Coordinates of all heavy atoms in Angstrom, one line a residue:
R1 N 3.0 16.0 -1.0 CA 4.1 15.3 -0.4 C 4.8 14.3 -1.4 O 6.0 14.2 -1.4 CB 3.5 14.4 0.7 CG 3.0 15.2 1.9 CD 2.8 14.3 3.1 NE 2.5 15.0 4.3 CZ 2.3 14.5 5.5 NH1 2.4 13.1 5.6 NH2 1.9 15.2 6.5
Y2 N 4.0 13.8 -2.3 CA 4.7 12.9 -3.3 C 5.5 13.7 -4.3 O 6.7 13.2 -4.6 CB 3.6 12.2 -4.1 CG 4.1 11.3 -5.3 CD1 4.7 10.1 -5.0 CD2 4.1 11.8 -6.5 CE1 5.1 9.3 -6.0 CE2 4.6 11.0 -7.6 CZ 5.1 9.8 -7.3 OH 5.6 9.0 -8.4
V3 N 5.1 14.9 -4.7 CA 5.9 15.7 -5.6 C 7.2 16.1 -4.9 O 8.2 16.2 -5.5 CB 5.1 16.9 -6.1 CG1 5.9 17.8 -6.9 CG2 3.9 16.4 -6.9
T4 N 7.1 16.6 -3.7 CA 8.3 17.2 -2.9 C 9.1 16.1 -2.3 O 10.2 16.4 -1.8 CB 7.8 18.2 -1.9 OG1 6.9 17.5 -1.0 CG2 7.1 19.3 -2.6
A5 N 8.8 14.8 -2.4 CA 9.5 13.7 -1.7 C 10.8 13.5 -2.5 O 10.8 13.6 -3.6 CB 8.7 12.4 -1.7
P6 N 11.9 13.1 -1.7 CA 13.2 12.9 -2.4 C 13.1 11.7 -3.3 O 12.4 10.8 -3.1 CB 14.2 12.6 -1.2 CG 13.3 12.2 -0.1 CD 11.9 12.9 -0.3
A7 N 13.8 11.8 -4.5 CA 13.8 10.7 -5.4 C 14.6 9.5 -4.9 O 15.7 9.6 -4.6 CB 14.4 11.2 -6.8
T8 N 13.9 8.4 -4.8 CA 14.5 7.1 -4.3 C 14.1 6.0 -5.2 O 13.0 6.0 -5.9 CB 14.1 6.8 -2.9 OG1 12.7 6.7 -2.9 CG2 14.6 7.8 -1.9
V9 N 15.0 5.0 -5.3 CA 14.7 3.8 -6.2 C 13.8 2.9 -5.4 O 14.2 2.3 -4.4 CB 15.9 3.1 -6.6 CG1 15.6 1.9 -7.4 CG2 16.9 4.0 -7.3
I10 N 12.5 2.9 -5.7 CA 11.5 2.1 -4.9 C 11.6 0.7 -5.2 O 11.6 -0.2 -4.4 CB 10.1 2.6 -5.2 CG1 10.0 4.1 -4.8 CG2 9.1 1.8 -4.5 CD1 8.7 4.7 -5.1
G11 N 11.8 0.3 -6.5 CA 11.9 -1.1 -6.9 C 10.6 -1.7 -7.1 O 9.5 -1.1 -7.2
D12 N 10.6 -3.0 -7.2 CA 9.4 -3.8 -7.4 C 8.4 -3.7 -6.1 O 8.9 -4.0 -5.1 CB 9.7 -5.2 -7.7 CG 8.5 -6.0 -8.2 OD1 7.4 -5.5 -8.1 OD2 8.7 -7.1 -8.7
V13 N 7.2 -3.4 -6.4 CA 6.2 -3.3 -5.3 C 6.0 -4.6 -4.7 O 5.9 -4.7 -3.4 CB 4.9 -2.7 -5.8 CG1 3.8 -2.7 -4.7 CG2 5.0 -1.3 -6.4
G14 N 6.1 -5.7 -5.5 CA 6.0 -7.0 -4.9 C 7.1 -7.3 -3.9 O 6.9 -7.9 -2.9
D15 N 8.3 -6.8 -4.2 CA 9.4 -7.0 -3.4 C 9.2 -6.3 -2.0 O 9.6 -6.8 -0.9 CB 10.7 -6.6 -4.0 CG 11.1 -7.4 -5.2 OD1 10.5 -8.5 -5.4 OD2 12.0 -6.9 -5.9
L16 N 8.7 -5.1 -2.1 CA 8.5 -4.3 -0.9 C 7.4 -5.0 0.0 O 7.4 -4.9 1.2 CB 8.2 -2.8 -1.2 CG 9.2 -2.1 -2.0 CD1 8.7 -0.8 -2.4 CD2 10.5 -2.0 -1.2
L17 N 6.3 -5.4 -0.7 CA 5.2 -5.9 0.1 C 5.4 -7.4 0.6 O 4.9 -7.7 1.6 CB 4.0 -6.0 -0.8 CG 3.5 -4.6 -1.2 CD1 2.3 -4.7 -2.2 CD2 3.1 -3.7 -0.1
C18 N 6.3 -8.1 -0.1 CA 6.5 -9.5 0.3 C 7.9 -9.9 0.0 O 8.3 -10.0 -1.2 CB 5.5 -10.4 -0.4 SG 5.6 -12.1 0.0
E19 N 8.6 -10.2 1.1 CA 10.1 -10.6 0.8 C 10.1 -12.0 0.3 O 11.1 -12.2 -0.5 CB 10.7 -10.6 2.3 CG 12.2 -11.0 2.1 CD 12.9 -10.9 3.5 OE1 12.3 -10.4 4.5 OE2 14.1 -11.2 3.6
E20 N 9.1 -12.8 0.6 CA 9.1 -14.2 -0.1 C 9.0 -14.1 -1.6 O 9.5 -14.9 -2.2 CB 7.9 -14.9 0.6 CG 7.8 -16.4 0.0 CD 6.7 -17.1 0.7 OE1 6.1 -16.6 1.6 OE2 6.4 -18.3 0.2
H21 N 8.2 -13.1 -2.0 CA 8.0 -12.9 -3.5 C 9.4 -12.6 -4.1 O 9.7 -13.1 -5.2 CB 7.1 -11.8 -3.8 CG 7.0 -11.4 -5.2 ND1 6.4 -12.1 -6.1 CD2 7.5 -10.3 -5.9 CE1 6.5 -11.5 -7.3 NE2 7.2 -10.4 -7.1
A22 N 10.2 -11.8 -3.5 CA 11.6 -11.4 -4.0 C 12.4 -12.6 -4.0 O 13.2 -12.9 -5.0 CB 12.2 -10.3 -3.1
L23 N 12.4 -13.5 -3.0 CA 13.2 -14.7 -3.0 C 12.8 -15.7 -4.0 O 13.6 -16.2 -4.6 CB 13.1 -15.3 -1.6 CG 13.7 -14.6 -0.4 CD1 13.4 -15.3 0.9 CD2 15.2 -14.4 -0.6
E24 N 11.5 -15.8 -4.2 CA 11.0 -16.7 -5.3 C 11.4 -16.3 -6.7 O 11.8 -17.0 -7.5 CB 9.5 -16.8 -5.2 CG 8.9 -17.8 -6.2 CD 7.4 -17.9 -6.0 OE1 6.8 -17.2 -5.2 OE2 6.8 -18.7 -6.8
K25 N 11.3 -14.9 -6.9 CA 11.7 -14.3 -8.2 C 13.2 -14.6 -8.4 O 13.5 -14.9 -9.6 CB 11.4 -12.9 -8.2 CG 11.6 -12.2 -9.6 CD 11.0 -10.8 -9.6 CE 11.8 -9.9 -8.8 NZ 11.4 -8.5 -8.9
S26 N 14.0 -14.4 -7.4 CA 15.5 -14.6 -7.6 C 15.8 -16.1 -7.9 O 16.6 -16.4 -8.8 CB 16.2 -14.2 -6.3 OG 17.5 -14.5 -6.3
K27 N 15.0 -17.0 -7.2 CA 15.2 -18.4 -7.5 C 14.8 -18.8 -8.9 O 15.5 -19.5 -9.6 CB 14.4 -19.2 -6.4 CG 14.4 -20.7 -6.7 CD 13.4 -21.4 -5.7 CE 13.2 -22.8 -6.0 NZ 12.2 -23.5 -5.2
N28 N 13.7 -18.3 -9.3 CA 13.2 -18.6 -10.6 C 14.0 -18.0 -11.7 O 14.4 -18.7 -12.7 CB 11.7 -18.0 -10.8 CG 10.7 -18.6 -9.9 OD1 11.0 -19.7 -9.4 ND2 9.6 -18.0 -9.9
R29 N 14.7 -16.9 -11.5 CA 15.6 -16.2 -12.5 C 16.9 -17.1 -12.5 O 17.4 -17.4 -13.6 CB 15.9 -14.8 -12.1 CG 16.9 -14.2 -13.1 CD 17.3 -12.8 -12.6 NE 16.1 -11.9 -12.7 CZ 15.5 -11.3 -11.7 NH1 15.9 -11.6 -10.4 NH2 14.5 -10.5 -11.8
K30 N 17.3 -17.6 -11.5 CA 18.5 -18.4 -11.4 C 18.3 -19.7 -12.2 O 19.3 -20.1 -13.0 CB 19.0 -18.7 -9.9 CG 20.2 -19.5 -9.8 CD 20.6 -19.7 -8.3 CE 21.9 -20.5 -8.2 NZ 22.2 -20.8 -6.8

């Protein structure tokens, strides 16, 4: 299934698992 799955941009696993992590990363980068 993984091999035949369509190619998509998954991104940071932390962002997918925790939206708060993505917001904190954006704030720190700014």
Side-chain angles (χ1 to χ4, degrees):
R1 288 192 181 188
Y2 175 78
V3 173
T4 58
T8 57
V9 179
I10 298 177
D12 190 347
V13 176
D15 294 347
L16 300 177
L17 297 178
C18 181
E19 184 177 352
E20 183 179 353
H21 171 76
L23 294 174
E24 182 180 1
K25 187 170 69 173
S26 176
K27 171 186 172 182
N28 293 348
R29 181 182 290 113
K30 183 178 180 181

